[in-house]
Amino acid sequence: MPNSAFAAKIVRDFVGALLRTGAHAGLADDARLCVSEVVSNVYCHTRSELVRVEVLVGREEVAVHVTNDHTGPLPEPLVRPEGEGGRGLLVVNGLAASWGSSTRKVKARRTKTVWFVLTEPEPGTEADCRVGAAEPGNETRPDAAPAQAPLPH
């Protein structure tokens, strides 16, 4: 697709729909976030005219490859707590089972690919206990008032 300001939303929506209708519905939100970060990086940091996204859905995992024609350096996660940007690959690193980047020469042009792999968390693991994860006894009713901590005396 064209590398535009709309590319991240288009790809995010496509990947989300693809995974929600298949065996990996539980990975849809993480995949949407990761692919959005990587495609946004292509738009913000390259002059590539196109961005190519390949989604490989397997039995045990989902792999996503985002390729562009920019010849710059391979991306690395930045650690700038005071900065306004540079956290996208840290998000990918935190959610993906693995990720990486590579360059390749295709005919007369050089391409760069950032890829990540997502896997379903093992039941009962820390990854399965994300914010919003349903746990028995923690269900909320629409008419229930939010719980409040007691005020200090």
Side-chain angles (χ1 to χ4, degrees):
M1 78 175 46
N3 182 18
S4 72
F6 305 105
K9 180 187 181 339
I10 292 167
V11 173
R12 179 176 60 239
D13 291 347
F14 169 74
V15 169
L18 175 70
L19 295 181
R20 280 192 187 98
T21 60
H24 295 295
L27 296 177
D29 289 339
D30 288 353
R32 285 172 43 92
L33 181 55
C34 290
V35 78
S36 182
E37 292 293 344
V38 176
V39 172
S40 292
N41 281 349
V42 173
Y43 177 69
C44 292
H45 302 293
T46 77
R47 293 186 181 143
S48 181
E49 290 183 27
L50 297 174
V51 60
R52 288 174 293 288
V53 179
E54 181 179 23
V55 182
L56 306 165
V57 180
R59 287 186 180 169
E60 308 272 329
E61 63 189 28
V62 174
V64 178
H65 296 83
V66 177
T67 302
N68 67 78
D69 297 327
H70 186 65
T71 58
L74 293 173
E76 294 182 30
L78 301 175
V79 180
R80 294 184 305 177
E82 72 285 349
E84 296 215 4
R87 293 186 188 92
L89 290 176
L90 291 174
V91 170
V92 173
N93 186 59
L95 295 174
S98 60
W99 75 277
S101 58
S102 61
T103 59
R104 191 174 138 207
K105 189 170 183 178
V106 177
K107 296 186 181 176
R109 70 175 200 256
R110 192 163 202 76
T111 64
K112 178 171 37 182
T113 299
V114 175
W115 56 268
F116 59 89
V117 176
L118 298 170
T119 58
E120 296 284 349
E122 295 291 325
T125 64
E126 186 175 319
D128 192 41
C129 300
R130 296 184 189 164
V131 173
E135 293 181 30
N138 286 343
E139 301 86 7
T140 58
R141 299 186 333 246
D143 60 341
Q148 296 181 353
L151 296 173
H153 296 240

